[in-house]
Amino acid sequence: MNVIWRTLLTIWHAKVQLRRRGPVPLNAVGRVRVRTMPTDIDLLGHMNNGRYGSLFDLGRFDLLIRTGLWDTVNERRWYAVVASETITFRKSLELWQRFTIETRLLGHDDKSVYMVHRAVVKGEVYTEMIVRARFLKRSGGLVSHEELFEAVGRPEGVPDVAPWVHDWASASALPSTKAPAPSMWE
């Protein structure tokens, strides 16, 4: 099943859950059950490493919608973009294997929001991805955390982002879009 259909189904399901049960807290763990499909598999017979990011988007959509953040962001003509991500693989997902995408807000700093995604099988973590995202305005510019938290409330119970996450974000950052970034190989 192509990721676009999974995305549309996830969005529809999350909106139904939001209407039926109301919003979940911003610090909730979102869970989306999926199965590894033939279009997810690489030549070695397991989930293609490039597919994880696309499938973890399902978890992000689900959680953003069910917290009510999705509607708030859209009303204000804001949108989120992934600035960086890192993924760690522990075990392979095989064809037709069921797994759960778990998603949780990890925390924030002065510019970014951090989320963690996991591929989990029977309670065991197979893969984990840390995502650093920013909210931007369609009219241009960055949405400040003051604006964001004024709109959605400041989440309680979210632990501080671990120092290594800040170090990773800093070390993996590319120059600003306004600064030159020539491709030079040493």
Side-chain angles (χ1 to χ4, degrees), residues 54-181:
S54 296
L55 292 178
F56 286 162
D57 281 348
L58 302 178
R60 202 160 38 255
F61 284 132
D62 172 72
L63 192 60
L64 290 174
I65 290 168
R66 291 187 317 108
T67 59
L69 186 59
W70 178 274
D71 289 335
T72 302
V73 165
N74 284 329
E75 287 168 6
R76 287 168 173 73
R77 298 187 39 79
W78 298 341
Y79 62 100
V81 294
V82 172
S84 55
E85 59 192 20
T86 187
I87 189 167
T88 304
F89 302 98
R90 186 171 163 271
K91 285 187 170 184
S92 295
L93 291 168
E94 306 298 330
L95 181 61
W96 306 119
Q97 188 168 12
R98 285 187 176 276
F99 65 100
T100 302
I101 298 167
E102 295 183 349
T103 302
R104 183 169 189 251
L105 176 65
L106 190 59
H108 65 88
D109 60 22
D110 58 333
K111 291 183 182 177
S112 303
V113 174
Y114 297 85
M115 298 187 89
V116 61
H117 300 285
R118 292 177 177 165
V120 177
V121 177
K122 297 179 183 172
E124 185 178 5
V125 177
Y126 276 47
T127 305
E128 184 174 85
M129 177 186 271
I130 307 291
V131 174
R132 181 172 63 100
R134 294 184 177 165
F135 285 94
L136 303 177
K137 299 176 184 179
R138 293 203 187 277
S139 59
L142 184 67
V143 176
S144 71
H145 282 337
E146 291 76 28
E147 291 174 285
L148 182 62
F149 294 144
E150 182 180 310
V152 301
R154 186 173 295 274
E156 294 183 23
V158 177
D160 291 335
V161 177
W164 76 264
V165 175
H166 290 291
D167 294 343
W168 158 75
S170 175
S172 64
L174 291 172
S176 158
T177 56
K178 294 175 177 58

Side-chain angles (χ1 to χ4, degrees), residues 7-57:
T7 302
L8 293 173
L9 285 170
T10 299
I11 289 171
W12 174 80
H13 183 262
K15 287 183 178 224
V16 167
Q17 292 302 312
L18 177 62
R19 276 194 303 275
R20 286 185 181 164
R21 298 182 179 165
V24 299
L26 286 173
N27 63 352
V29 175
R31 290 179 175 84
V32 176
R33 300 255 315 143
V34 292
R35 182 185 297 268
T36 308
M37 303 299 282
T39 54
D40 302 327
I41 302 300
D42 64 16
L43 294 175
L44 298 175
H46 59 250
M47 174 93 83
N48 181 291
N49 64 298
R51 185 62 91 177
Y52 283 90
S54 296
L55 292 178
F56 286 162
D57 281 348

